[in-house]
Amino acid sequence: MRQQLKDFFARHEPHCGSVLVGLKSGAGGMLGMGLVGGAAAFTQLPLLIAPFGASAVLLFGHPATPLAQPANVIGGYAVSATIGLLVAVVFPGAWWAAALGVGLAILAMLLMRVSHPPAGAVPILMVVAAIDPFELGGIVFAGSIALVLIASLYHRLPPRHDYPRRIA
């Protein structure tokens, strides 16, 4: 039992490398969300959605992970938004449609090899948000592209990260 508790609370995440890398990651997340928020204020579109904050953690804090690669971020959001839109239109107002959408989004992302965990929240938004699901789909797609572009440029600053990861 003691070993199980030890395993449960062990930190499996590797060290970020240095305080500078951690500061750059935090600043990148702040910049990315700030630019998306500024675009939201300028366009009057609700571009600041909670899943983008979680994506910023991956894009700026863990840029080398497969889950943070452009195909996964944009593809994961596109797949989840499509499924979320489908369940929101077919089962309007049904609370269980959110759960169905999340399950189907996980299945589709895994089968298509574009898993991006924050995108799993999109079907919930599509079902419960006051905004039209079609408009929300466009917001999700545009926002995911914007975050990937910002991360691609930001990771060129020192200390540099290879983002997107190069295929060997």
Side-chain angles (χ1 to χ4, degrees):
M1 178 69 168
R2 190 174 180 167
Q3 183 62 40
Q4 288 174 323
L5 283 175
K6 193 174 180 180
D7 291 342
F8 189 80
F9 290 105
R11 293 180 293 164
H12 299 280
E13 182 176 346
H15 193 275
C16 72
S18 71
V19 173
L20 180 61
V21 171
L23 286 171
K24 182 185 176 204
S25 297
M30 187 170 54
L31 176 68
M33 295 314 301
L35 289 173
V36 171
F42 181 73
T43 63
Q44 299 298 305
L45 292 171
L47 294 168
L48 274 179
I49 58 173
F52 288 164
S55 293
V57 173
L58 290 170
L59 285 166
F60 297 99
H62 300 279
T65 65
L67 302 174
Q69 299 311 302
N72 290 68
V73 177
I74 297 168
Y77 274 117
V79 166
S80 291
T82 302
I83 290 170
L85 181 64
L86 179 69
V87 297
V89 168
V90 174
F91 307 110
W95 65 265
W96 50 267
L100 176 65
V102 170
L104 291 173
I106 292 169
L107 171 64
M109 285 190 289
L110 287 171
L111 291 175
M112 298 175 77
R113 296 175 44 222
V114 293
S115 293
H116 185 65
V122 170
I124 298 170
L125 287 176
M126 292 284 193
V127 171
V128 303
I131 187 169
D132 176 66
F134 288 96
E135 184 178 354
L136 185 56
I139 288 165
V140 166
F141 191 64
S144 65
I145 291 171
L147 282 173
V148 166
L149 290 175
I150 293 164
S152 296
L153 294 172
Y154 191 75
H155 286 301
R156 293 175 187 224
L157 299 173
R160 288 181 56 105
H161 289 286
D162 283 335
Y163 184 82
R165 257 179 30 186
R166 308 287 186 255
I167 297 175

